[in-house]
Amino acid sequence: MSTTGNIAITGIPTKAGSDGSFPLRRELRDLQRKYPDHFNLLVLALKDFQALNESVQTSYYQIAGIHGLPYKPWNGVGSSTDWQSTSGFGGYCTHSSILFLTWHRPYLALFEQALYTSIQKIANQFPEGTLRTKYVEAAKTFRMPYFDWASQPPSGSSAFPSAFTTPNLQVVDIDGKTKSTANPIYRFVFHPVNPSPGNFPTQWSRYPTTVRYPNPRTGQSQDNRVAPILANELASLRTNVSLLLLSYTNFDAFSFNRWDPSTNPGEFGSLEDVHNEIHDRTGGGGHMSSLDVSSFDPLFWFHHTNVDRLWAIWQDLNPDNFLSPRPAPYSTFNSTQGESQTKDTPLTPFWDKSATKFWTSEEIKDTTTTFGYAYPETQEWKYKVPSEYQASIRQAVTSLYGTNVFANFAAANVQARATEHTQLIKSLSLATHPPSAPLTAEKPLLITQEMKASPIPESLQHLAPNNKYPEWVVNIRAQKHGLHGAFRVIVFLGAIDESDPDSWQTEFNAVGRVSVLGRSTQGPATTKCAKCVTDAADELMISGTVPLTSALLQDIVNENTGLQSLQPEEVVPYLKKELKWKVTMFETGEEKNCAEVPGLKVSVTSTEVTIGEDGLPDYSGQYVVYPEITDGKPGGLRDGEHI
Ligand SMILES: N[C@@H](Cc1ccc(O)cc1)C(=O)O
Ligand SMILES: [Cu+2]
């Protein structure tokens, strides 16, 4: 890749195979287990990429630096003085904007193409002969893997893949010898941390490497804290992802977390909201928790590739729905606050293939193959007609994130689902198209017993008479920068240790959270991010959701609670008694009084879901709001109020 002049964002230039196929971005665990050569290349190449001089435009450091800090123009786009003024146009961030998803697609393509330069270099450094041939061949189909944080981890394994937490990995090095090497997926080692003075404030320059859950005294990364925290709210997160993919049909609602008074009760969630909580739960006050520096943690790239994948899946289910023009919530290098932001707004600083103009949302909406990749679920070329393709996506989504809340619950608890999700997808797609499975020649796997049986496990059928049940969801709204920093609203069902905020993230009774990536807009720590400053002035409101049904099921199965059904007659009084929420700050873990959180509103809704013969849920029902559940609690929606 040329590193002078306008850098064209091409992804990995790829011609479709004779059957129309493109190489797949695969799940990280899947890659590690089933594609060891690709994984080996990933480790060696990411190391090489991370080691590039930090002053090189296409170095890991510089590309990571586009997202937030150091708020400097990249590739000459924007003036070098803009970022320095709090009322100026600092950084390129697009969070809480309709451009959130689309902006990150060319961003990831840039990362992937830069990484790919190292992949090719490394592959060609192996000794000539079988080894080189093997790795050069593997390099052709190498694409950036994703971390699917919402799928059920294979039984017995951790919710946070070991590739993220192992300091050293065994690799076949370019001399053909197997050795242990520092794992570049685990963390990025700055070299140095402040290449030009003032790139990072001391809050971040104190860390020589990226960290997760840093010990507040020593700054030491505590990666072992991530897995239990990811596992604890997984059931609710899985429902959230299913709901987003299968029930949201409007791009604006699906994509970003900005709330406005017309937001309907069934659309408080968004992919951005779910994405935020992963930043929160994996960061623990370290790099991932802060949009300013999150992209320096290698995890960011695997996380965002998954976000891109979930969008690709949704977009192919809703090909005719895309972003509607909205007034820009802030000024950028190219647009002024209040001006219409549309699908044609330039996604700076990402030059398109001509390197003379910027990519726009419209140009990258329908296709990931423009950038040379597809996902396991989006192999459109395998299907003759769109309806067949969409049916396969729905099947894949439900088998990954819960055929329905009951089956999901049973699978998670009894570990009945022994077959891993990627195998399921493969079996489903191969089953539809046996002769033309082009990319891998593996044998189709049988669909598990569980999937063939009735969609609802027998022991739970009484909870969904006629295959209908109410899905319960907590809606949360708050002022994004209202606490001058990032905070989370954690929702609990049942008793907790009220006196110990540190324990809340691992309380069994924690159901889920909405993470709010607010920033400081007052005092010495004032953010330089211009968008954040304008958002604060506008009292930008964001929203998010915490699905409750999986936790209610837990409580039904746990007979001590007295709850016996999902119907409102029982659930409403139960929630009135047992539902609570708490607000804590990311950085300090300190609790905030809910009554004092600007704009906080919590409400409970339900919608009737029907599970069809095919096992797929129909979420087309209306949402009912129950103000009586939250009335009287700090921040709760009151009777007679609407938000
Ligand atoms: N934390 C639980 C979810 C839950 C929360 C509250 C409950 O009352 C019950 C279950 C889990 O791991 O799945
Ligand atoms: Cu982001």
Side-chain angles (χ1 to χ4, degrees):
M1 181 178 1
S2 160
T3 56
T4 50
N6 297 348
I7 295 169
I9 312 298
T10 57
I12 301 172
T14 310
K15 275 207 218 69
S18 56
D19 53 358
S21 62
F22 281 85
L24 302 185
R25 287 183 175 176
R26 298 182 187 278
E27 217 280 335
L28 178 63
R29 287 162 284 199
D30 193 34
L31 192 81
Q32 187 170 10
R33 227 191 42 242
K34 298 208 223 110
Y35 302 87
D37 300 340
H38 290 75
F39 185 77
N40 200 66
L41 283 176
L42 169 67
V43 174
L44 295 179
L46 187 55
K47 251 182 105 114
D48 181 73
F49 179 31
Q50 289 181 350
L52 293 180
N53 190 304
E54 293 179 353
S55 64
V56 174
Q57 284 289 313
T58 50
S59 64
Y60 183 94
Y61 180 84
Q62 287 281 331
I63 291 176
I66 294 170
H67 197 252
L69 280 169
Y71 299 133
K72 289 192 175 157
W74 182 80
N75 201 206
V77 183
S79 111
S80 60
T81 53
D82 288 341
W83 67 278
Q84 295 179 11
S85 139
T86 48
S87 56
F89 313 138
Y92 299 100
C93 63
T94 59
H95 300 94
S96 303
S97 133
I98 41 164
L99 305 181
F100 166 69
L101 290 175
T102 56
W103 184 86
H104 283 81
R105 180 164 285 174
Y107 188 33
L108 289 166
L110 167 62
F111 181 87
E112 191 176 42
Q113 85 190 55
L115 171 64
Y116 200 66
T117 304
S118 294
I119 291 272
Q120 282 181 312
K121 176 177 133 195
I122 295 286
N124 283 295
Q125 282 171 352
F126 278 92
E128 238 176 291
T130 43
L131 265 190
R132 186 180 301 175
T133 312
K134 176 168 94 156
Y135 284 107
V136 166
E137 201 47 39
K140 290 185 189 153
T141 52
F142 175 89
R143 294 296 180 272
M144 177 65 195
Y146 57 90
F147 165 36
D148 187 359
W149 25 256
S151 61
Q152 192 70 49
S155 82
S157 77
S158 144
F160 196 46
S162 62
F164 292 120
T165 57
T166 314
N168 296 293
L169 288 172
Q170 290 286 111
V171 288
V172 180
D173 206 349
I174 49 168
D175 57 8
K177 300 209 172 84
T178 299
K179 5 184 133 143
S180 168
T181 190
N183 175 7
I185 305 171
Y186 165 53
R187 60 182 190 180
F188 175 63
V189 182
F190 293 92
H191 53 94
V193 74
N194 250 342
S196 32
N199 266 8
F200 297 100
T202 46
Q203 183 197 354
W204 296 113
S205 63
R206 66 183 284 231
Y207 300 114
T209 68
T210 55
V211 292
R212 306 175 190 133
Y213 289 83
N215 176 311
R217 256 181 328 102
T218 63
Q220 206 66 34
S221 190
Q222 306 177 90
D223 295 86
N224 57 354
R225 294 202 48 194
V226 181
I229 287 175
L230 284 184
N232 198 39
E233 295 163 33
L234 183 60
S236 178
L237 172 69
R238 286 162 60 70
T239 312
N240 225 345
V241 169
S242 277
L243 281 169
L244 284 166
L245 294 178
L246 300 177
S247 83
Y248 284 56
T249 53
N250 176 284
F251 180 90
D252 298 3
F254 167 78
S255 68
F256 77 121
N257 69 355
R258 187 167 194 162
W259 176 90
D260 71 46
S262 64
T263 302
N264 89 52
E267 294 179 334
F268 268 55
S270 64
L271 187 49
E272 183 176 12
D273 169 44
V274 170
H275 140 275
N276 286 351
E277 77 173 73
I278 299 301
H279 275 279
D280 174 18
R281 289 158 72 200
T282 57
H287 291 76
M288 276 296 278
S289 304
S290 162
L291 294 181
D292 278 341
V293 292
S294 54
S295 46
F296 290 92
D297 186 332
L299 170 59
F300 173 96
W301 301 98
F302 298 86
H303 166 42
H304 263 278
T305 304
N306 194 43
V307 173
D308 184 73
R309 163 179 163 267
L310 294 173
W311 169 35
I313 289 175
W314 183 90
Q315 194 69 67
D316 283 356
L317 285 174
N318 300 275
D320 300 327
N321 202 288
F322 200 41
L323 56 86
S324 49
R326 296 191 172 227
Y330 57 95
S331 298
T332 70
F333 298 117
N334 288 336
S335 72
T336 315
Q337 178 175 21
E339 239 173 46
S340 190
Q341 249 183 345
T342 71
K343 52 190 176 30
D344 304 314
T345 300
L347 300 172
T348 53
F350 306 124
W351 299 103
D352 72 4
K353 289 183 183 174
S354 74
T356 57
K357 52 190 176 40
F358 297 105
W359 283 106
T360 65
S361 303
E362 176 69 7
E363 289 163 341
I364 53 156
K365 163 200 171 211
D366 289 314
T367 171
T368 60
T369 53
T370 300
F371 291 126
Y373 67 91
Y375 292 105
E377 298 82 3
T378 62
Q379 302 179 59
E380 193 170 358
W381 61 86
K382 288 187 174 179
Y383 303 91
K384 282 193 250 27
V385 288
S387 60
E388 227 177 75
Y389 172 47
Q390 291 190 339
S392 81
I393 301 181
R394 277 196 196 90
Q395 286 289 353
V397 166
T398 50
S399 63
L400 282 173
Y401 308 119
T403 314
N404 60 67
V405 74
F406 304 97
N408 200 19
F409 173 78
N413 272 266
V414 299
Q415 310 259 300
R417 181 165 304 168
T419 313
E420 223 193 313
H421 72 263
T422 39
Q423 297 178 326
L424 278 175
I425 293 168
K426 201 173 297 154
S427 68
L428 288 165
S429 49
L430 293 183
T432 336
H433 279 260
S436 64
L439 281 169
T440 51
E442 285 157 47
K443 266 200 265 151
L445 283 141
L446 290 175
I447 293 173
T448 54
Q449 225 28 59
E450 184 203 329
M451 292 193 61
K452 278 195 237 149
S454 154
I456 303 178
E458 215 177 280
S459 61
L460 300 170
Q461 273 170 11
H462 64 285
L463 299 172
N466 305 317
N467 285 359
K468 285 190 206 313
Y469 73 95
E471 185 85 54
W472 293 87
V473 178
V474 179
N475 282 348
I476 296 175
R477 182 204 77 179
Q479 197 178 307
K480 182 166 177 178
H481 304 290
L483 292 178
H484 308 292
F487 62 97
R488 56 181 82 90
V489 186
I490 310 185
V491 170
F492 307 91
L493 190 56
I496 59 164
D497 178 355
E498 304 255 352
S499 69
D500 181 13
D502 277 347
S503 70
W504 293 345
Q505 303 207 60
T506 45
E507 273 285 359
F508 176 79
N509 281 336
V511 184
R513 71 181 69 192
V514 170
S515 302
V516 186
L517 304 178
R519 299 199 224 192
S520 175
T521 50
Q522 274 183 350
T526 297
T527 178
K528 294 282 197 298
C529 168
K531 169 165 154 38
C532 313
V533 175
T534 1
D535 286 349
D538 287 353
E539 302 190 342
L540 171 75
M541 289 281 191
I542 57 86
S543 68
T545 50
V546 176
L548 273 182
T549 319
S550 53
L552 287 167
L553 281 178
Q554 290 265 13
D555 289 357
I556 292 172
V557 169
N558 170 1
E559 287 158 3
N560 301 331
T561 64
L563 184 66
Q564 288 180 4
S565 97
L566 286 175
Q567 302 307 319
E569 312 80 83
E570 276 203 49
V571 170
V572 170
Y574 186 75
L575 290 179
K576 234 168 146 162
K577 201 154 54 75
E578 303 292 353
L579 184 75
K580 43 178 108 27
W581 52 89
K582 301 274 184 195
V583 172
T584 58
M585 302 301 295
F586 278 24
E587 253 174 61
T588 56
E590 167 204 8
E591 178 181 10
K592 290 284 174 186
N593 181 342
C594 290
E596 285 156 25
V597 179
L600 180 67
K601 264 304 160 212
V602 178
S603 65
V604 178
T605 69
S606 83
T607 183
E608 189 174 75
V609 180
T610 308
I611 299 167
E613 292 281 296
D614 53 3
L616 302 191
D618 172 355
Y619 291 115
S620 59
Q622 289 294 308
Y623 275 77
V624 184
V625 183
Y626 297 88
E628 64 269 40
I629 296 175
T630 49
D631 196 352
K633 301 184 184 181
L637 184 75
R638 296 181 180 285
D639 222 342
E641 232 177 13
H642 292 275
I643 49 165

